[in-house]
Structure formats: C-alpha cells, structure tokens
C-alpha cells in the first residue's frame, strides 16, 4: 500500500466504534451481507432506455448470490423484446454482481438490473420475510393465464375520449357505452385461455368463444363500439 508523506507522518489512532454492517432481512432471516454469496431473495426492478421509448420489468430469484430464475417483461420497443430473449439466456447462473456488470443488450434491461440490485442488497426484496424464500418458479406466478404478461393499454384523446385496448382481463373487443357515451363495461377475449383451449383440442372458433368474457355493466349498454375502429 502506498501512503502519502502526510499520512506517514500521522500517529496511529485506534478505530473503536464499529459493530459491522447493519443486518438486512433475507428470506425470514437477518443477514449481515458481507459477500455476494450472502445475498438471497426474489424481487423486481423496472428500467427504461435513454429516450424512454420502452420499459422493462425484470424479476430475479437469487439464492446465495446466484441467479436461479429470471423473468424479463418488456413494453414499448420492438428491439427490446429481442434483447430480452438474449438477457433470458445470459442471466441464470450469474452472480448478482456479475449480472450488474454484464451488458444485458438493452439500456432498459440494464437499468432494471441496476434498480433490482439496489433493492436486493438493501433487503427490500419481495421475499424478505418469507421463510426459505420463494421457490424457483415463483416468477411464473406474476403472469396471467397461459403465462402471458399482464398488460394494460389505454389510448385517449381530448377530442374523442378514451379507448380501452387491452387490460389484465385480455384484449378488448367491445366497449359498452351508456346514454351519455360513458364507458360502463367491456367485452374481451383472453388469448392465454384461448390458446389453452386450442391446445386441449378445441377448434379456433370454439376456443375464441370460450375465452370471451365481460366486465362491468356491459349488458346495460345503450350501444357498443369497437375501440380500435370506432
């Protein structure tokens, strides 16, 4: 170790007040995390790219510093979906520090990794107080039927008002309006369920009908509109 002359001339004073790093909650234990292998937990990070054109939600299940499970969900940028495919191959097996310092191809995914890293090393994980943590596979529980991401897409203008296009229920096929043209309900098709019905042997038309549903006071609507055309 190289010291400056000023430091060399100083007398030694004992460091007395230090009780170690503060423990953080990890999988129902209090852990003094001193090394990467001390980090465990399941949590999420949300990131965005430089022009903020798209966003990524990254979910990682980390056991003793090693990423065991990764869920990468993206929206708003077609290129980011391709980057997510690469990130999904890169992440499992890395330490959480390696992942932080690995180019995950897309700015938004890299930013999500940074935000997730901060949460998990400060003990802000979703599994902080879950004994034994969450089993590998817990990331799939964040998805809807048919393992599809839960997406909400609403478009609106001052002149023409709102259009519900997609919600957790599924793809909007019709909006129900009252006499004052307020939205009072909607009809939808859940593509995840539809694909499950088709894989179980239903033809496309039958699967489409079985995967439909409605919400709100749709039956009381004075008129209905196609939100993508009308």
């Amino acid at each position: 170790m190289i010291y400056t002359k000023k430091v060399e001339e100083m007398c030694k004073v004992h460091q007395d007040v230090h009780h170690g790093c503060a423990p953080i909650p990890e999988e129902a234990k209090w852990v003094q995390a001193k090394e990467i292998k001390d980090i465990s937990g399941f949590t999420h990070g949300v990131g965005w790219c430089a022009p903020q054109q798209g966003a990524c939600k990254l979910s990682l299940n980390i056991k003793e510093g090693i990423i065991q499970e990764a869920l990468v969900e993206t929206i708003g940028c077609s290129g980011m979906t391709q980057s997510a495919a690469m990130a999904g191959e890169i992440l499992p097996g890395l330490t959480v520090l390696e992942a932080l310092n690995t180019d995950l191809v897309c700015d938004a995914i890299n930013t999500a990794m940074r935000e997730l890293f901060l949460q998990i090393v400060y003990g802000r994980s979703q599994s902080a107080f879950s004994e034994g943590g969450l089993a590998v596979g817990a990331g799939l529980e964040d998805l809807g039927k048919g393992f599809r991401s839960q997406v909400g897409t609403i478009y609106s203008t001052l002149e023409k008002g709102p259009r519900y296009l997609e919600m957790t229920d599924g793809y909007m096929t019709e909006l129900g309006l009252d006499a004052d043209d307020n939205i009072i309900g909607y009809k939808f098709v859940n593509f995840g369920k539809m694909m499950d019905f088709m894989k179980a042997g239903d033809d496309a038309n039958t699967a489409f009908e079985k995967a439909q549903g409605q919400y709100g006071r749709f039956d009381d609507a004075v008129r209905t509109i196609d939100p993508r055309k009308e």
Side-chain angles (χ1 to χ4, degrees), residues 69 71 137-144 147:
E69 175 186 17
L71 172 64
L140 291 177
E141 296 176 10
D142 275 11
L143 302 177
F147 296 149

Side-chain angles (χ1 to χ4, degrees), residues 9 50 65 73 80 86 96 110 123 143 193:
E9 292 174 349
E73 300 175 86
M80 195 191 303
M86 296 178 69
V96 67
N110 288 324
L143 302 177
K193 289 183 178 180

